[in-house]
Amino acid sequence: MIKKIIFLSFAFFGMSLMALYTANVGKNQKPKINLKHGDSFVVLELFTSQGCSSCPPADALLERVQKEFPKSVFALSYHVDYWDYIGWKDPFAKSAYTKKQSAYNRKFRSPNNYTPQIVVNGKEHFVGSNSTTAHTKIKFYSSRNTGYGIKLESVKTTDDQVNFEYSTIGDINHKLLRAVLVIDERTTLVKRGENRNRTLRNTNIVVAEQYIDLERQSGTASINIPDLVSPTDDLTLVLVMESENLDIIAAAKTAINN
């Protein structure tokens, strides 16, 4: 009888641990988002800088809306380099992201780059800290169907690369696929510039970007993991399909536990 009671106690303890583990995994694990054909999406590309005193509210807004709409909003934070001259070199800034912002603003006939700026699905822009406009645009584009889609599969990482398979839905003529690797979040103590002596928390930080020519509806590709990424960083891989005029017409994403 005593042995039976001990056995049942251990069995109950083991089941409790398993239930707790499962609950924690379900709570912490981020899903892969492969939108079905016809599903709506909202890609928010924030152009920001740690050297810009107006940017922290926009950084916080991008994080909030991504958490509020985890399945439909695809948040990407591009750090530009033209604020570095003030005295703080943003560790995430790249001249390529400044050029990317310039290309958008030429499309929008906007005379200058500015921060914080959010571009929505490559089609329009607004001041990145404007919460009312952000929610209005999310609601608008969440009701739109482009007729295109991307499926992301077989994502595997090595020491310096993320390898993946993709398939697309819709006409791929004159379309590009863009793979974007982001650090989910990072905290930085800024020692100089407009945000000196502030600790900034940035999320959805773009650290690598790779364009893929769409010659077929499906294929394999990879993106390099830059040295900036640390072993403790959680990453997300985002795929977007865009047309020649920079309109974003499809998106998919998956979490990568680095």
Side-chain angles (χ1 to χ4, degrees):
M1 177 63 72
I2 293 175
K3 291 183 179 179
K4 184 176 181 181
I5 291 173
I6 292 174
F7 174 78
L8 290 175
S9 298
F10 273 105
F12 178 77
F13 179 70
M15 292 172 64
S16 299
L17 282 179
M18 182 60 70
L20 180 61
Y21 172 79
T22 303
N24 285 334
V25 169
K27 180 180 179 180
N28 297 325
Q29 189 175 25
K30 292 171 293 183
K32 176 166 59 181
I33 307 297
N34 279 330
L35 301 178
K36 298 187 294 294
H37 182 214
D39 283 351
S40 59
F41 66 93
V42 186
V43 176
L44 300 179
E45 296 174 285
L46 171 65
F47 293 92
T48 185
S49 171
Q50 290 184 351
C52 161
S53 60
S54 301
C55 287
D59 299 328
L61 174 61
L62 188 73
E63 180 183 12
R64 286 199 306 272
V65 296
Q66 197 276 331
K67 288 182 176 179
E68 188 176 353
F69 307 97
K71 292 186 178 181
S72 59
V73 168
F74 294 68
L76 300 173
S77 181
Y78 289 90
H79 288 234
V80 295
D81 66 346
Y82 49 82
W83 285 104
D84 289 0
Y85 79 95
I86 290 180
W88 176 253
K89 182 174 174 56
D90 188 326
F92 307 114
K94 289 186 178 182
S95 60
Y97 303 156
T98 299
K99 292 176 182 177
K100 183 182 188 70
Q101 185 182 24
S102 297
Y104 272 133
N105 284 322
R106 284 194 297 271
K107 172 183 176 177
F108 302 142
R109 302 180 187 274
S110 181
N112 299 301
N113 287 348
Y114 67 92
T115 54
Q117 179 185 30
I118 286 182
V119 176
V120 191
N121 283 11
K123 296 180 177 180
E124 57 179 307
H125 68 106
F126 62 91
V127 175
S129 55
N130 192 321
S131 177
T132 300
T133 301
H135 283 86
T136 299
K137 298 305 178 184
I138 290 170
K139 182 178 180 181
F140 176 81
Y141 284 102
S142 292
S143 64
R144 296 298 184 268
N145 175 10
T146 65
Y148 290 84
I150 305 172
K151 189 174 183 181
L152 180 59
E153 296 290 351
S154 301
V155 180
K156 298 178 181 178
T157 60
T158 63
D159 290 339
D160 59 356
Q161 273 191 335
V162 179
N163 304 295
F164 57 92
E165 298 178 4
Y166 65 87
S167 57
T168 61
I169 298 170
D171 180 12
I172 61 173
N173 289 324
H174 307 293
K175 306 297 190 305
L176 288 173
L177 195 63
R178 176 163 39 115
V180 188
L181 188 65
V182 307
I183 293 176
D184 290 353
E185 64 178 74
R186 188 79 80 77
T187 300
T188 306
L189 174 60
V190 177
K191 299 179 180 179
R192 292 178 294 277
E194 290 188 355
N195 289 312
R196 62 185 176 276
N197 299 325
R198 295 184 63 180
T199 298
L200 301 183
R201 184 169 180 272
N202 297 113
T203 62
N204 306 291
I205 309 159
V206 176
V207 291
E209 189 166 76
Q210 177 74 42
Y211 276 88
I212 303 161
D213 287 328
L214 280 176
E215 299 177 352
R216 295 177 296 276
Q217 294 288 159
S218 61
T220 60
S222 64
I223 185 168
N224 291 333
I225 301 174
D227 293 337
L228 179 63
V229 176
S230 73
T232 58
D233 286 325
D234 285 334
L235 306 174
T236 297
L237 175 64
V238 179
L239 292 187
V240 297
M241 189 192 306
E242 60 185 46
S243 59
E244 287 182 316
N245 69 345
L246 305 181
D247 284 359
I248 295 175
I249 55 178
K253 63 182 175 179
T254 187
I256 301 170
N257 295 318
N258 189 30

